Amino acid sequence: MRHRMSKFVAAMIGTLLVLFSALFALGRSG
Amino acid sequence: MGETDANNFHTSAPSRLSTPERRVISGVLWIALYLLFTLLPLAIIGLGPTPAPRGVWREFSVALGFVGLAMMGLQFVLTARFRWLNAPYGTDVMYAFHRHISLVATALILAHPGVLLVVDTAETLRRLNPLTPPWAGRFGVLSVVCLLALIATSVWRLRLRIPYETWRRAHGILAVAAVSFAIFHILLAGVYLDTPLKRILWLVYSLAWLGLIAYVRLIKPFWQVRTPYRVVSVAEERGRSYTLAVEPEGHAGMRFRPGQFAWLTARDSPFAEHEHPYSISSSAEHPGRLQFTIKVLGDFSEDLRTARPGERIYLDGPYGALSADRYPDARGFVLVAGGIGITPMISHLRTFADRRDPRPVVLFYANNNWDEVTFREELERLPAWMNLKVVHVLTTPPEGWTGETGYVTKEILAKHLPADRDDFLYFICGPGPMMDAVEAALHELGAPVGSMHAERFNLV
């Protein structure tokens, strides 16, 4: 169960980081 | 009033520091900090005057590269075995997260040149060609090659038949190489670290990762050399196992909780990174003499069996979250062990017996046959000292066996679980498929997800 949670948290963090990277790109290019 | 006073007393007791609620809070906090540290490079490159924007896709690709590298660097934090970081999750989950997040980081890092290849194919191919300048491109390619080798050798280690020790050394070297080459790639590209302040901040941030490697590979082994243990005895056990007893040599040793484990180095220097994790099987009430019960499964465990009294070994520990002592409010425990998965459980039982802990414990213990039941005789004696019920489950029972047979199924669990098991905790340790099946069965029998704790020993 906790291992499945770890997979879920890793996927969630990955998604958030891609979103933040996109925000960074949008912010930088105005 | 009396009840309020009791609660107040409980709140101010030191054990409150390790209550489950507190661990949940610190667990969430570490995840938030993880996000913060992965995004820190973007904050650094966004400081002060920034370089001219280069188009949204190029900026996106760069951001993915920085974030992916930060994730790779943070892998050194996850595997540095900091107790305060592992405590909320358990070491096995920390290693599982290390594996899961490495795949996410690799995807982000590969997306960095991937996006550039799509938006500017010709220029990107020129930069990625190792035969032509720039050096930034060459280092980028080298970093990705090391990263892919790192992932491939880890995911397919068994298929590639790479011995564990060889893999572990290569893993460290490839990880340092991948991160170092990526740092050079960024410094040489120079576009985003365009001011001295940014370069300094970036160097401090990336040197912190390399400092962690120095801590893990040099400082920790040095400490282990200073705090050795001496083998006291090696005793044969049922089930192709043996118990190694050790005592601290010239130091206080380690205090541990029942169910915890330690990394053990024998017949080698701690600097050699030739260590294996084993559960402590002795009582937590006797930290002056630690016992490890080890099943002969490979070269290391076979070799250790011939250890002689007086021989030196080194320990790194204790680690692990599979411990009743983390849940002082539990009313009782259900322990499910498969084979040598008994070791964290026997540590619990011995500790409970030493403490005369009156809380009920039911042990389901699965083995292949009766002769292989490690600690069989002791399990018959222990109920004299504690509230213990043992349910043996054998896949190949002897003739005339009247106990349970086959696997630990929902029916067997339902038959022997106490009717009143509110606020009971369930600890499971054994082969992976068994743990999955038992967790599912217990859940169907009404055990809340949060009450089940399993530790998987395929950490690597």
Side-chain angles (χ1 to χ4, degrees):
Chain A
M1 177 54 72
R2 292 178 307 136
H3 283 242
R4 280 197 290 275
M5 279 292 283
S6 139
K7 208 178 272 185
F8 170 76
V9 170
M12 189 190 71
I13 287 175
T15 311
L16 278 173
L17 290 175
V18 170
L19 280 174
F20 277 116
S21 299
L23 281 176
F24 171 86
L26 288 169
R28 284 262 307 139
S29 47
Chain B
M1 188 64 186
E3 195 182 325
T4 313
D5 286 344
N7 287 340
N8 285 343
F9 172 76
H10 192 73
T11 309
S12 59
S15 65
R16 195 72 189 165
L17 288 172
S18 57
T19 53
E21 296 84 0
R22 207 168 168 120
R23 279 195 297 273
V24 170
I25 293 168
S26 47
V28 172
L29 193 74
W30 290 136
I31 293 172
L33 275 176
Y34 182 89
L35 272 173
L36 198 74
F37 274 97
T38 40
L39 293 170
L40 200 59
L42 299 185
I44 292 175
I45 61 180
L47 273 177
T50 52
R54 303 194 300 164
V56 70
W57 283 108
R58 195 173 285 270
E59 297 286 349
F60 181 52
S61 131
V62 167
L64 291 176
F66 269 104
V67 167
L69 174 58
M71 293 166 84
M72 290 305 293
L74 284 167
Q75 296 284 49
F76 296 122
V77 183
L78 300 184
T79 52
R81 301 187 200 156
F82 292 119
R83 277 191 203 93
W84 38 266
L85 186 59
N86 285 355
Y89 317 101
T91 308
D92 60 330
V93 169
M94 192 54 92
Y95 277 92
F97 181 72
H98 166 69
R99 288 195 293 268
H100 296 145
I101 205 72
S102 71
L103 299 178
V104 177
T106 305
L108 264 61
I109 288 167
L110 291 178
H112 167 53
V115 171
L116 288 178
L117 270 172
V118 173
V119 294
D120 193 351
T121 313
E123 173 63 11
T124 309
L125 282 175
R126 188 188 69 75
R127 286 180 154 263
L128 290 180
N129 184 350
L131 301 174
T132 59
W135 274 100
R138 288 173 179 150
F139 277 116
V141 171
L142 269 175
S143 175
V144 168
V145 168
C146 289
L147 176 62
L148 291 178
L150 193 70
I151 298 290
T153 50
S154 303
V155 173
W156 296 301
R157 178 174 78 82
L158 294 177
R159 202 178 293 176
L160 295 169
R161 296 192 182 157
I162 305 172
Y164 169 70
E165 279 82 19
T166 312
W167 167 80
R168 193 155 171 208
R169 285 200 189 100
H171 199 71
I173 293 166
L174 286 170
V176 172
V179 171
S180 305
F181 288 142
I183 291 171
F184 285 132
H185 166 71
I186 287 168
L187 287 173
L188 288 169
V191 179
Y192 289 84
L193 300 175
D194 54 341
T195 67
L197 175 69
K198 290 183 200 179
R199 277 196 290 276
I200 290 168
L201 285 174
W202 177 250
L203 272 177
V204 169
Y205 181 68
S206 39
L207 283 177
W209 298 331
L210 300 177
L212 274 172
I213 300 166
Y215 167 73
V216 171
R217 309 257 160 171
L218 298 173
I219 298 171
K220 278 190 87 167
F222 178 74
W223 179 249
Q224 282 177 259
V225 170
R226 296 279 305 272
T227 54
Y229 288 76
R230 190 181 59 244
V231 172
V232 178
S233 62
V234 178
E236 290 296 313
E237 302 279 3
R238 290 182 179 276
R240 288 188 296 122
S241 307
Y242 59 95
T243 292
L244 176 82
V246 301
E247 283 179 358
E249 201 178 328
H251 59 100
M254 67 169 83
R255 290 206 75 86
F256 64 95
R257 289 169 167 166
Q260 287 197 295
F261 69 92
W263 295 80
L264 199 150
T265 302
R267 296 176 173 174
D268 215 336
S269 157
F271 290 99
E273 303 262 322
H274 189 179
E275 54 180 359
H276 290 252
Y278 290 112
S279 284
I280 304 169
S281 54
S282 49
S283 164
E285 293 297 303
H286 300 290
R289 178 176 288 198
L290 302 173
Q291 291 179 356
F292 297 89
T293 302
I294 298 164
K295 186 168 181 130
V296 177
L297 290 170
D299 293 345
F300 187 86
S301 48
E302 180 73 62
D303 184 46
L304 192 57
R305 189 184 209 160
T306 62
R308 296 267 163 263
E311 215 174 290
R312 265 193 180 173
I313 68 148
Y314 303 96
L315 297 177
D316 179 22
Y319 296 104
L322 192 80
S323 179
D325 280 11
R326 284 162 58 96
Y327 309 93
D329 297 332
R331 277 205 315 113
F333 300 91
V334 174
L335 314 177
V336 187
I340 200 62
I342 190 67
T343 48
M345 310 309 184
I346 196 78
S347 174
H348 274 99
L349 301 182
R350 289 168 169 170
T351 307
F352 278 33
D354 280 344
R355 293 176 183 164
R356 304 289 189 268
D357 193 318
R359 290 177 291 178
V361 179
V362 182
L363 169 70
F364 292 88
Y365 188 13
N367 277 286
N368 189 27
N369 63 61
W370 189 232
D371 283 336
E372 280 183 13
V373 179
T374 314
F375 304 123
R376 193 177 95 187
E377 289 75 10
E378 188 175 349
L379 288 171
E380 282 167 19
R381 290 193 302 268
L382 276 167
W385 306 101
M386 59 180 295
N387 187 350
L388 172 67
K389 173 183 174 186
V390 181
V391 180
H392 288 286
V393 185
L394 300 176
T395 39
T396 319
E399 213 163 298
W401 175 256
T402 53
E404 299 296 350
T405 58
Y407 294 110
V408 182
T409 58
K410 183 180 159 190
E411 291 68 34
I412 290 177
L413 289 165
K415 190 170 153 191
H416 298 282
L417 282 173
D420 173 20
R421 49 182 188 272
D422 290 344
D423 297 324
F424 266 55
L425 286 181
Y426 303 82
F427 291 161
I428 311 156
C429 190
M434 180 202 127
M435 291 201 286
D436 290 336
V438 169
E439 268 190 52
L442 285 171
H443 190 54
E444 282 175 36
L445 289 168
V449 170
S451 69
M452 291 186 279
H453 303 272
E455 200 145 73
R456 285 159 200 264
F457 271 80
N458 54 340
L459 295 180
V460 279

